[in-house]
Amino acid sequence: MGVGAAAERAEQGDQGGEGGERRYGEFVVVRRHGYVAELVLDRPKAMNAVSTDMARSIAGACAALAGDRDVRVVVVTSTHERAFCVGADLKERNSFSDAELVRQRPVARAAYTGVLELPMPTIAAVHGFALGGGFELALSCDLIVADRTAVVGLPEVSVGVVPGGGGTQLLPRRVGAARAAELIFTARRLEAAEARELGLVDQVVDEGRDRAEALALAARIAANSPVGLRAAKRALRLGHGLDLRAGLEVEDAAWRSVAFSGDRAEGVAAFNEKRKPEWPGE
């Protein structure tokens, strides 16, 4: 199946489950495309700057998605034509007292960890600006699809703070410690081509195609076993940074968690019967 056809299937929701959408607060929408859920950042008047209310909504949406066994892949998108997300709402933060900033911190963290800890594969569809906390939301995903207008970076030190949504930990896992240090210390912004060359994003697509291509990729992933996908993600995440022996133990635990599952039985049967599997998801 071609990318365009896969995207069309994702849009039509014929991967299973029910369509429709649900709003979380004022600024976040979750749309269902069959087994693919689209988490939409929808604060266009502020270029999706993450306010306290928006952070709560992201965390709430992620909590609901994490508990939904029918969701196999999550795609994070934006409604703003020139931005994925420009990061924290600095206008709001400028009004905070020190005590208010301390109280807001766990709310902000919950948004980023909510995306990071989703148990199913996640894809960010990035166009325009993805800066600071906006890029950290993308880094919290397993894969990043960017269009040619994308501009990414972690400029926090230029305003007297540090990346606080996971950037100091997630970026070096993508590009290595020295490269991450250079990018964070200089606060520089990278356009799509350089970001792809350095590994900050995984795919660069034509302008305006980030959402469609990310949904197409999600549809291809969602055709696979949901039990297998979650176990594979768990092994990838838990095993990263461990020595080889410890990592192989993590992998073995993941294998044991799926070896006697209904998905494994169905997958083997479908292969031998030369048919498409109908995953029970358990």
Side-chain angles (χ1 to χ4, degrees):
M1 178 184 297
V3 168
E8 183 177 356
R9 288 186 68 189
E11 290 283 9
Q12 292 174 346
D14 66 350
Q15 291 290 315
E18 296 183 1
E21 66 178 46
R22 177 179 176 184
R23 181 167 287 277
Y24 291 81
E26 186 178 355
F27 305 124
V28 174
V29 178
V30 171
R31 297 181 181 138
R32 288 294 300 273
H33 310 281
Y35 293 125
V36 175
E38 182 184 2
L39 193 162
V40 186
L41 307 177
D42 186 30
R43 196 186 178 205
K45 291 182 179 179
M47 300 180 80
N48 288 329
V50 182
S51 64
T52 303
D53 285 346
M54 187 172 180
R56 286 197 184 96
S57 296
I58 293 170
C62 288
L65 289 169
D68 190 337
R69 302 298 298 186
D70 288 331
V71 176
R72 298 182 186 175
V73 187
V74 173
V75 179
V76 184
T77 68
S78 162
T79 59
H80 196 283
E81 63 181 11
R82 293 188 294 109
F84 175 72
C85 172
V86 294
D89 187 339
L90 297 184
K91 290 183 179 179
E92 178 189 62
R93 290 196 180 181
N94 191 50
S95 69
F96 284 170
S97 66
D98 289 351
E100 288 171 331
L101 185 60
V102 169
R103 286 194 296 270
Q104 196 257 3
R105 174 61 177 163
V107 177
R109 285 195 70 186
Y112 300 104
T113 58
V115 176
L116 182 64
E117 294 177 359
L118 283 168
M120 67 287 289
T122 52
I123 304 168
V126 174
H127 60 265
F129 297 109
L131 301 173
F135 188 42
E136 288 172 307
L137 285 174
L139 288 171
S140 296
C141 295
D142 299 300
L143 298 168
I144 302 174
V145 176
D147 83 355
R148 298 189 188 283
T149 70
V151 177
V152 305
L154 296 175
E156 282 87 345
V157 298
S158 69
V159 293
V161 293
V162 302
T168 64
Q169 305 306 304
L170 295 171
L171 188 57
R173 283 167 167 78
R174 271 188 165 265
V175 302
R179 178 69 69 189
E182 183 263 321
L183 294 172
I184 291 170
F185 294 164
T186 61
R188 72 185 181 94
R189 304 178 180 190
L190 291 80
E191 295 185 355
E194 185 181 7
R196 174 65 182 91
E197 181 181 351
L198 298 182
L200 278 75
V201 304
D202 302 299
Q203 295 182 28
V204 175
V205 300
D206 290 340
E207 181 176 347
R209 292 290 301 169
D210 54 294
R211 176 178 177 270
E213 297 291 345
L215 285 171
L217 176 58
R220 293 198 297 273
I221 294 171
N224 296 309
S225 158
V227 171
L229 288 171
R230 290 181 181 225
K233 175 167 179 172
R234 190 164 62 248
L236 285 163
R237 287 286 178 89
L238 294 178
H240 187 90
L242 300 179
D243 64 65
L244 179 58
R245 186 179 297 273
L248 290 173
E249 290 302 315
V250 169
E251 182 181 85
D252 186 65
W255 179 86
R256 291 175 185 276
S257 74
V258 303
F260 309 104
S261 68
D263 273 16
R264 184 262 180 187
E266 169 61 11
V268 172
F271 176 83
N272 283 287
E273 295 166 14
K274 295 180 173 52
R275 61 174 174 81
K276 182 179 178 180
E278 297 180 5
W279 306 114
E282 57 185 20

